[in-house]
PDB file of all heavy atoms in Angstrom:
ATOM      1  N   SER A   1       0.822  -1.209   0.005  1.00  0.00           N
ATOM      2  CA  SER A   1       0.004  -0.001  -0.002  1.00  0.00           C
ATOM      3  C   SER A   1       0.857   1.253  -0.005  1.00  0.00           C
ATOM      4  O   SER A   1       0.560   2.215  -0.713  1.00  0.00           O
ATOM      5  CB  SER A   1      -0.928  -0.004   1.216  1.00  0.00           C
ATOM      6  OG  SER A   1      -1.800  -1.093   1.176  1.00  0.00           O
ATOM      7  N   THR A   2       1.921   1.234   0.807  1.00  0.00           N
ATOM      8  CA  THR A   2       2.804   2.398   0.837  1.00  0.00           C
ATOM      9  C   THR A   2       3.451   2.619  -0.514  1.00  0.00           C
ATOM     10  O   THR A   2       3.463   3.765  -1.031  1.00  0.00           O
ATOM     11  CB  THR A   2       3.869   2.199   1.950  1.00  0.00           C
ATOM     12  OG1 THR A   2       3.199   1.985   3.210  1.00  0.00           O
ATOM     13  CG2 THR A   2       4.774   3.398   2.068  1.00  0.00           C
ATOM     14  N   VAL A   3       3.944   1.586  -1.103  1.00  0.00           N
ATOM     15  CA  VAL A   3       4.573   1.675  -2.433  1.00  0.00           C
ATOM     16  C   VAL A   3       3.508   2.019  -3.484  1.00  0.00           C
ATOM     17  O   VAL A   3       3.784   2.751  -4.426  1.00  0.00           O
ATOM     18  CB  VAL A   3       5.319   0.357  -2.767  1.00  0.00           C
ATOM     19  CG1 VAL A   3       5.769   0.348  -4.210  1.00  0.00           C
ATOM     20  CG2 VAL A   3       6.507   0.194  -1.840  1.00  0.00           C
ATOM     21  N   GLY A   4       2.298   1.503  -3.299  1.00  0.00           N
ATOM     22  CA  GLY A   4       1.213   1.765  -4.245  1.00  0.00           C
ATOM     23  C   GLY A   4       0.896   3.249  -4.369  1.00  0.00           C
ATOM     24  O   GLY A   4       0.582   3.759  -5.453  1.00  0.00           O
ATOM     25  N   VAL A   5       0.953   3.967  -3.258  1.00  0.00           N
ATOM     26  CA  VAL A   5       0.715   5.400  -3.282  1.00  0.00           C
ATOM     27  C   VAL A   5       1.778   6.071  -4.177  1.00  0.00           C
ATOM     28  O   VAL A   5       1.417   6.912  -5.009  1.00  0.00           O
ATOM     29  CB  VAL A   5       0.723   6.016  -1.858  1.00  0.00           C
ATOM     30  CG1 VAL A   5       0.676   7.533  -1.924  1.00  0.00           C
ATOM     31  CG2 VAL A   5      -0.475   5.484  -1.056  1.00  0.00           C
ATOM     32  N   LYS A   6       3.004   5.677  -4.016  1.00  0.00           N
ATOM     33  CA  LYS A   6       4.087   6.273  -4.828  1.00  0.00           C
ATOM     34  C   LYS A   6       3.889   5.918  -6.303  1.00  0.00           C
ATOM     35  O   LYS A   6       3.999   6.777  -7.174  1.00  0.00           O
ATOM     36  CB  LYS A   6       5.439   5.749  -4.351  1.00  0.00           C
ATOM     37  CG  LYS A   6       6.626   6.220  -5.169  1.00  0.00           C
ATOM     38  CD  LYS A   6       6.839   7.711  -5.105  1.00  0.00           C
ATOM     39  CE  LYS A   6       8.077   8.102  -5.886  1.00  0.00           C
ATOM     40  NZ  LYS A   6       8.194   9.546  -6.046  1.00  0.00           N
ATOM     41  N   ILE A   7       3.567   4.658  -6.580  1.00  0.00           N
ATOM     42  CA  ILE A   7       3.349   4.225  -7.944  1.00  0.00           C
ATOM     43  C   ILE A   7       2.209   4.996  -8.591  1.00  0.00           C
ATOM     44  O   ILE A   7       2.286   5.471  -9.715  1.00  0.00           O
ATOM     45  CB  ILE A   7       3.114   2.700  -8.034  1.00  0.00           C
ATOM     46  CG1 ILE A   7       4.433   1.977  -7.727  1.00  0.00           C
ATOM     47  CG2 ILE A   7       2.571   2.307  -9.401  1.00  0.00           C
ATOM     48  CD1 ILE A   7       4.263   0.473  -7.553  1.00  0.00           C
ATOM     49  N   GLY A   8       1.119   5.175  -7.826  1.00  0.00           N
ATOM     50  CA  GLY A   8      -0.031   5.912  -8.329  1.00  0.00           C
ATOM     51  C   GLY A   8       0.304   7.340  -8.607  1.00  0.00           C
ATOM     52  O   GLY A   8      -0.131   7.927  -9.597  1.00  0.00           O
ATOM     53  N   ASN A   9       1.121   7.946  -7.741  1.00  0.00           N
ATOM     54  CA  ASN A   9       1.518   9.324  -7.919  1.00  0.00           C
ATOM     55  C   ASN A   9       2.395   9.491  -9.171  1.00  0.00           C
ATOM     56  O   ASN A   9       2.318  10.504  -9.852  1.00  0.00           O
ATOM     57  CB  ASN A   9       2.272   9.812  -6.672  1.00  0.00           C
ATOM     58  CG  ASN A   9       2.512  11.306  -6.706  1.00  0.00           C
ATOM     59  OD1 ASN A   9       3.623  11.729  -6.923  1.00  0.00           O
ATOM     60  ND2 ASN A   9       1.448  12.077  -6.527  1.00  0.00           N
ATOM     61  N   VAL A  10       3.186   8.475  -9.482  1.00  0.00           N
ATOM     62  CA  VAL A  10       4.095   8.568 -10.618  1.00  0.00           C
ATOM     63  C   VAL A  10       3.425   8.085 -11.916  1.00  0.00           C
ATOM     64  O   VAL A  10       3.510   8.724 -12.943  1.00  0.00           O
ATOM     65  CB  VAL A  10       5.388   7.755 -10.354  1.00  0.00           C
ATOM     66  CG1 VAL A  10       6.274   7.693 -11.590  1.00  0.00           C
ATOM     67  CG2 VAL A  10       6.152   8.355  -9.182  1.00  0.00           C
ATOM     68  N   PHE A  11       2.756   6.920 -11.871  1.00  0.00           N
ATOM     69  CA  PHE A  11       2.290   6.279 -13.088  1.00  0.00           C
ATOM     70  C   PHE A  11       0.771   6.339 -13.306  1.00  0.00           C
ATOM     71  O   PHE A  11       0.304   6.024 -14.383  1.00  0.00           O
ATOM     72  CB  PHE A  11       2.701   4.794 -13.115  1.00  0.00           C
ATOM     73  CG  PHE A  11       4.159   4.595 -13.143  1.00  0.00           C
ATOM     74  CD1 PHE A  11       4.843   4.132 -12.057  1.00  0.00           C
ATOM     75  CD2 PHE A  11       4.884   4.861 -14.310  1.00  0.00           C
ATOM     76  CE1 PHE A  11       6.223   3.945 -12.084  1.00  0.00           C
ATOM     77  CE2 PHE A  11       6.241   4.671 -14.366  1.00  0.00           C
ATOM     78  CZ  PHE A  11       6.924   4.223 -13.243  1.00  0.00           C
ATOM     79  N   GLY A  12       0.006   6.684 -12.291  1.00  0.00           N
ATOM     80  CA  GLY A  12      -1.447   6.764 -12.469  1.00  0.00           C
ATOM     81  C   GLY A  12      -2.118   5.408 -12.447  1.00  0.00           C
ATOM     82  O   GLY A  12      -1.676   4.472 -11.803  1.00  0.00           O
ATOM     83  N   LEU A  13      -3.192   5.282 -13.218  1.00  0.00           N
ATOM     84  CA  LEU A  13      -4.059   4.111 -13.183  1.00  0.00           C
ATOM     85  C   LEU A  13      -3.545   2.912 -13.974  1.00  0.00           C
ATOM     86  O   LEU A  13      -4.213   1.866 -14.033  1.00  0.00           O
ATOM     87  CB  LEU A  13      -5.447   4.474 -13.696  1.00  0.00           C
ATOM     88  CG  LEU A  13      -6.250   5.426 -12.814  1.00  0.00           C
ATOM     89  CD1 LEU A  13      -7.545   5.818 -13.494  1.00  0.00           C
ATOM     90  CD2 LEU A  13      -6.514   4.803 -11.463  1.00  0.00           C
ATOM     91  N   LYS A  14      -2.389   3.026 -14.568  1.00  0.00           N
ATOM     92  CA  LYS A  14      -1.880   1.972 -15.451  1.00  0.00           C
ATOM     93  C   LYS A  14      -1.832   0.593 -14.793  1.00  0.00           C
ATOM     94  O   LYS A  14      -2.131  -0.423 -15.406  1.00  0.00           O
ATOM     95  CB  LYS A  14      -0.468   2.366 -15.920  1.00  0.00           C
ATOM     96  CG  LYS A  14       0.147   1.382 -16.885  1.00  0.00           C
ATOM     97  CD  LYS A  14       1.506   1.878 -17.343  1.00  0.00           C
ATOM     98  CE  LYS A  14       2.120   0.902 -18.307  1.00  0.00           C
ATOM     99  NZ  LYS A  14       3.428   1.331 -18.752  1.00  0.00           N
ATOM    100  N   PHE A  15      -1.493   0.512 -13.484  1.00  0.00           N
ATOM    101  CA  PHE A  15      -1.307  -0.773 -12.827  1.00  0.00           C
ATOM    102  C   PHE A  15      -2.497  -1.208 -11.976  1.00  0.00           C
ATOM    103  O   PHE A  15      -2.504  -2.337 -11.474  1.00  0.00           O
ATOM    104  CB  PHE A  15      -0.047  -0.732 -11.935  1.00  0.00           C
ATOM    105  CG  PHE A  15       1.200  -0.517 -12.717  1.00  0.00           C
ATOM    106  CD1 PHE A  15       1.890   0.682 -12.638  1.00  0.00           C
ATOM    107  CD2 PHE A  15       1.695  -1.508 -13.568  1.00  0.00           C
ATOM    108  CE1 PHE A  15       3.040   0.896 -13.374  1.00  0.00           C
ATOM    109  CE2 PHE A  15       2.845  -1.312 -14.292  1.00  0.00           C
ATOM    110  CZ  PHE A  15       3.521  -0.120 -14.203  1.00  0.00           C
ATOM    111  N   LYS A  16      -3.518  -0.360 -11.799  1.00  0.00           N
ATOM    112  CA  LYS A  16      -4.620  -0.681 -10.888  1.00  0.00           C
ATOM    113  C   LYS A  16      -5.334  -1.956 -11.293  1.00  0.00           C
ATOM    114  O   LYS A  16      -5.495  -2.881 -10.524  1.00  0.00           O
ATOM    115  CB  LYS A  16      -5.599   0.481 -10.822  1.00  0.00           C
ATOM    116  CG  LYS A  16      -6.788   0.213  -9.949  1.00  0.00           C
ATOM    117  CD  LYS A  16      -7.798   1.354 -10.036  1.00  0.00           C
ATOM    118  CE  LYS A  16      -9.000   1.102  -9.171  1.00  0.00           C
ATOM    119  NZ  LYS A  16      -9.827  -0.018  -9.617  1.00  0.00           N
ATOM    120  N   ALA A  17      -5.804  -2.018 -12.525  1.00  0.00           N
ATOM    121  CA  ALA A  17      -6.584  -3.188 -12.986  1.00  0.00           C
ATOM    122  C   ALA A  17      -5.701  -4.438 -12.999  1.00  0.00           C
ATOM    123  O   ALA A  17      -6.169  -5.527 -12.654  1.00  0.00           O
ATOM    124  CB  ALA A  17      -7.159  -2.924 -14.367  1.00  0.00           C
ATOM    125  N   LYS A  18      -4.444  -4.300 -13.385  1.00  0.00           N
ATOM    126  CA  LYS A  18      -3.558  -5.445 -13.430  1.00  0.00           C
ATOM    127  C   LYS A  18      -3.294  -6.005 -12.018  1.00  0.00           C
ATOM    128  O   LYS A  18      -3.236  -7.223 -11.836  1.00  0.00           O
ATOM    129  CB  LYS A  18      -2.232  -5.087 -14.076  1.00  0.00           C
ATOM    130  CG  LYS A  18      -2.378  -4.818 -15.565  1.00  0.00           C
ATOM    131  CD  LYS A  18      -1.079  -4.369 -16.189  1.00  0.00           C
ATOM    132  CE  LYS A  18      -1.345  -4.036 -17.665  1.00  0.00           C
ATOM    133  NZ  LYS A  18      -0.253  -3.391 -18.308  1.00  0.00           N
ATOM    134  N   ALA A  19      -3.216  -5.138 -11.036  1.00  0.00           N
ATOM    135  CA  ALA A  19      -3.010  -5.569  -9.647  1.00  0.00           C
ATOM    136  C   ALA A  19      -4.243  -6.352  -9.150  1.00  0.00           C
ATOM    137  O   ALA A  19      -4.108  -7.412  -8.549  1.00  0.00           O
ATOM    138  CB  ALA A  19      -2.731  -4.378  -8.742  1.00  0.00           C
ATOM    139  N   GLU A  20      -5.437  -5.828  -9.403  1.00  0.00           N
ATOM    140  CA  GLU A  20      -6.643  -6.501  -8.988  1.00  0.00           C
ATOM    141  C   GLU A  20      -6.793  -7.845  -9.701  1.00  0.00           C
ATOM    142  O   GLU A  20      -7.174  -8.863  -9.091  1.00  0.00           O
ATOM    143  CB  GLU A  20      -7.884  -5.644  -9.246  1.00  0.00           C
ATOM    144  CG  GLU A  20      -8.030  -4.513  -8.256  1.00  0.00           C
ATOM    145  CD  GLU A  20      -9.264  -3.697  -8.475  1.00  0.00           C
ATOM    146  OE1 GLU A  20      -9.755  -3.592  -9.612  1.00  0.00           O
ATOM    147  OE2 GLU A  20      -9.763  -3.156  -7.496  1.00  0.00           O
ATOM    148  N   MET A  21      -6.486  -7.881 -10.982  1.00  0.00           N
ATOM    149  CA  MET A  21      -6.570  -9.122 -11.756  1.00  0.00           C
ATOM    150  C   MET A  21      -5.614 -10.170 -11.190  1.00  0.00           C
ATOM    151  O   MET A  21      -5.985 -11.323 -10.975  1.00  0.00           O
ATOM    152  CB  MET A  21      -6.262  -8.851 -13.223  1.00  0.00           C
ATOM    153  CG  MET A  21      -6.276 -10.074 -14.109  1.00  0.00           C
ATOM    154  SD  MET A  21      -7.934 -10.721 -14.432  1.00  0.00           S
ATOM    155  CE  MET A  21      -8.516  -9.513 -15.589  1.00  0.00           C
ATOM    156  N   ALA A  22      -4.376  -9.778 -10.944  1.00  0.00           N
ATOM    157  CA  ALA A  22      -3.370 -10.706 -10.406  1.00  0.00           C
ATOM    158  C   ALA A  22      -3.794 -11.225  -9.051  1.00  0.00           C
ATOM    159  O   ALA A  22      -3.688 -12.432  -8.754  1.00  0.00           O
ATOM    160  CB  ALA A  22      -2.018 -10.017 -10.293  1.00  0.00           C
ATOM    161  N   GLY A  23      -4.305 -10.356  -8.186  1.00  0.00           N
ATOM    162  CA  GLY A  23      -4.767 -10.789  -6.860  1.00  0.00           C
ATOM    163  C   GLY A  23      -5.895 -11.793  -6.947  1.00  0.00           C
ATOM    164  O   GLY A  23      -5.909 -12.807  -6.224  1.00  0.00           O
ATOM    165  N   GLY A  24      -6.837 -11.559  -7.837  1.00  0.00           N
ATOM    166  CA  GLY A  24      -7.963 -12.492  -8.021  1.00  0.00           C
ATOM    167  C   GLY A  24      -7.500 -13.839  -8.499  1.00  0.00           C
ATOM    168  O   GLY A  24      -7.927 -14.888  -8.001  1.00  0.00           O
ATOM    169  N   ILE A  25      -6.620 -13.862  -9.474  1.00  0.00           N
ATOM    170  CA  ILE A  25      -6.103 -15.125 -10.019  1.00  0.00           C
ATOM    171  C   ILE A  25      -5.332 -15.894  -8.935  1.00  0.00           C
ATOM    172  O   ILE A  25      -5.501 -17.110  -8.800  1.00  0.00           O
ATOM    173  CB  ILE A  25      -5.231 -14.852 -11.260  1.00  0.00           C
ATOM    174  CG1 ILE A  25      -6.098 -14.375 -12.432  1.00  0.00           C
ATOM    175  CG2 ILE A  25      -4.437 -16.099 -11.654  1.00  0.00           C
ATOM    176  CD1 ILE A  25      -5.332 -13.836 -13.613  1.00  0.00           C
ATOM    177  N   ILE A  26      -4.518 -15.200  -8.159  1.00  0.00           N
ATOM    178  CA  ILE A  26      -3.748 -15.842  -7.090  1.00  0.00           C
ATOM    179  C   ILE A  26      -4.660 -16.505  -6.096  1.00  0.00           C
ATOM    180  O   ILE A  26      -4.472 -17.666  -5.716  1.00  0.00           O
ATOM    181  CB  ILE A  26      -2.819 -14.807  -6.394  1.00  0.00           C
ATOM    182  CG1 ILE A  26      -1.666 -14.424  -7.320  1.00  0.00           C
ATOM    183  CG2 ILE A  26      -2.292 -15.355  -5.054  1.00  0.00           C
ATOM    184  CD1 ILE A  26      -0.873 -13.235  -6.843  1.00  0.00           C
ATOM    185  N   LEU A  27      -5.729 -15.807  -5.650  1.00  0.00           N
ATOM    186  CA  LEU A  27      -6.641 -16.398  -4.648  1.00  0.00           C
ATOM    187  C   LEU A  27      -7.394 -17.603  -5.235  1.00  0.00           C
ATOM    188  O   LEU A  27      -7.594 -18.614  -4.540  1.00  0.00           O
ATOM    189  CB  LEU A  27      -7.608 -15.349  -4.135  1.00  0.00           C
ATOM    190  CG  LEU A  27      -6.979 -14.240  -3.299  1.00  0.00           C
ATOM    191  CD1 LEU A  27      -8.019 -13.248  -2.843  1.00  0.00           C
ATOM    192  CD2 LEU A  27      -6.246 -14.831  -2.079  1.00  0.00           C
ATOM    193  N   ILE A  28      -7.802 -17.547  -6.489  1.00  0.00           N
ATOM    194  CA  ILE A  28      -8.485 -18.690  -7.099  1.00  0.00           C
ATOM    195  C   ILE A  28      -7.541 -19.896  -7.189  1.00  0.00           C
ATOM    196  O   ILE A  28      -7.936 -21.021  -6.854  1.00  0.00           O
ATOM    197  CB  ILE A  28      -9.049 -18.315  -8.490  1.00  0.00           C
ATOM    198  CG1 ILE A  28     -10.232 -17.347  -8.336  1.00  0.00           C
ATOM    199  CG2 ILE A  28      -9.462 -19.555  -9.269  1.00  0.00           C
ATOM    200  CD1 ILE A  28     -10.714 -16.750  -9.644  1.00  0.00           C
ATOM    201  N   LEU A  29      -6.301 -19.653  -7.598  1.00  0.00           N
ATOM    202  CA  LEU A  29      -5.346 -20.757  -7.674  1.00  0.00           C
ATOM    203  C   LEU A  29      -5.074 -21.370  -6.291  1.00  0.00           C
ATOM    204  O   LEU A  29      -4.958 -22.606  -6.182  1.00  0.00           O
ATOM    205  CB  LEU A  29      -4.040 -20.260  -8.301  1.00  0.00           C
ATOM    206  CG  LEU A  29      -4.130 -19.924  -9.797  1.00  0.00           C
ATOM    207  CD1 LEU A  29      -2.805 -19.312 -10.286  1.00  0.00           C
ATOM    208  CD2 LEU A  29      -4.499 -21.145 -10.624  1.00  0.00           C
ATOM    209  N   MET A  30      -5.002 -20.530  -5.262  1.00  0.00           N
ATOM    210  CA  MET A  30      -4.812 -21.072  -3.905  1.00  0.00           C
ATOM    211  C   MET A  30      -6.030 -21.904  -3.497  1.00  0.00           C
ATOM    212  O   MET A  30      -5.880 -22.927  -2.817  1.00  0.00           O
ATOM    213  CB  MET A  30      -4.560 -19.955  -2.895  1.00  0.00           C
ATOM    214  CG  MET A  30      -3.164 -19.352  -3.007  1.00  0.00           C
ATOM    215  SD  MET A  30      -1.821 -20.553  -2.834  1.00  0.00           S
ATOM    216  CE  MET A  30      -2.060 -21.099  -1.187  1.00  0.00           C
ATOM    217  N   GLY A  31      -7.219 -21.466  -3.884  1.00  0.00           N
ATOM    218  CA  GLY A  31      -8.428 -22.266  -3.586  1.00  0.00           C
ATOM    219  C   GLY A  31      -8.367 -23.615  -4.238  1.00  0.00           C
ATOM    220  O   GLY A  31      -8.677 -24.644  -3.595  1.00  0.00           O
ATOM    221  N   PHE A  32      -7.983 -23.683  -5.491  1.00  0.00           N
ATOM    222  CA  PHE A  32      -7.832 -24.967  -6.177  1.00  0.00           C
ATOM    223  C   PHE A  32      -6.768 -25.838  -5.534  1.00  0.00           C
ATOM    224  O   PHE A  32      -6.954 -27.029  -5.374  1.00  0.00           O
ATOM    225  CB  PHE A  32      -7.532 -24.768  -7.671  1.00  0.00           C
ATOM    226  CG  PHE A  32      -8.736 -24.581  -8.518  1.00  0.00           C
ATOM    227  CD1 PHE A  32      -9.091 -23.324  -8.981  1.00  0.00           C
ATOM    228  CD2 PHE A  32      -9.540 -25.662  -8.858  1.00  0.00           C
ATOM    229  CE1 PHE A  32     -10.229 -23.142  -9.777  1.00  0.00           C
ATOM    230  CE2 PHE A  32     -10.669 -25.499  -9.652  1.00  0.00           C
ATOM    231  CZ  PHE A  32     -11.006 -24.244 -10.123  1.00  0.00           C
ATOM    232  N   LYS A  33      -5.657 -25.226  -5.136  1.00  0.00           N
ATOM    233  CA  LYS A  33      -4.588 -25.974  -4.496  1.00  0.00           C
ATOM    234  C   LYS A  33      -5.079 -26.636  -3.187  1.00  0.00           C
ATOM    235  O   LYS A  33      -4.838 -27.806  -2.946  1.00  0.00           O
ATOM    236  CB  LYS A  33      -3.396 -25.075  -4.196  1.00  0.00           C
ATOM    237  CG  LYS A  33      -2.253 -25.824  -3.543  1.00  0.00           C
ATOM    238  CD  LYS A  33      -1.257 -24.851  -2.957  1.00  0.00           C
ATOM    239  CE  LYS A  33      -0.180 -25.549  -2.164  1.00  0.00           C
ATOM    240  NZ  LYS A  33      -0.696 -26.224  -0.977  1.00  0.00           N
ATOM    241  N   ILE A  34      -5.798 -25.849  -2.374  1.00  0.00           N
ATOM    242  CA  ILE A  34      -6.332 -26.393  -1.122  1.00  0.00           C
ATOM    243  C   ILE A  34      -7.280 -27.546  -1.399  1.00  0.00           C
ATOM    244  O   ILE A  34      -7.237 -28.609  -0.761  1.00  0.00           O
ATOM    245  CB  ILE A  34      -7.025 -25.278  -0.307  1.00  0.00           C
ATOM    246  CG1 ILE A  34      -5.962 -24.309   0.233  1.00  0.00           C
ATOM    247  CG2 ILE A  34      -7.864 -25.857   0.834  1.00  0.00           C
ATOM    248  CD1 ILE A  34      -6.537 -23.010   0.778  1.00  0.00           C
ATOM    249  N   LEU A  35      -8.183 -27.351  -2.352  1.00  0.00           N
ATOM    250  CA  LEU A  35      -9.141 -28.386  -2.686  1.00  0.00           C
ATOM    251  C   LEU A  35      -8.437 -29.645  -3.195  1.00  0.00           C
ATOM    252  O   LEU A  35      -8.736 -30.767  -2.750  1.00  0.00           O
ATOM    253  CB  LEU A  35     -10.133 -27.884  -3.755  1.00  0.00           C
ATOM    254  CG  LEU A  35     -11.187 -28.900  -4.225  1.00  0.00           C
ATOM    255  CD1 LEU A  35     -12.118 -29.274  -3.112  1.00  0.00           C
ATOM    256  CD2 LEU A  35     -11.936 -28.350  -5.410  1.00  0.00           C
TER     257      LEU A  35
END
């Protein structure tokens, strides 16, 4: 989060959607692994 503020200040919205997408994929993969 701390680094995210800096990234947002420098680069804007470029990474927002990619970060959310990556987080979602990671959690789904962990769910499959547990199952």
Side-chain angles (χ1 to χ4, degrees):
S1 298
T2 303
V3 170
V5 172
K6 176 66 176 170
I7 290 171
N9 189 254
V10 173
F11 295 108
L13 293 174
K14 183 178 181 181
F15 297 110
K16 179 186 179 293
K18 291 177 183 170
E20 285 182 331
M21 178 72 75
I25 291 169
I26 288 168
L27 292 179
I28 289 171
L29 291 174
M30 285 304 295
F32 274 104
K33 181 194 173 296
I34 290 167
L35 178 65

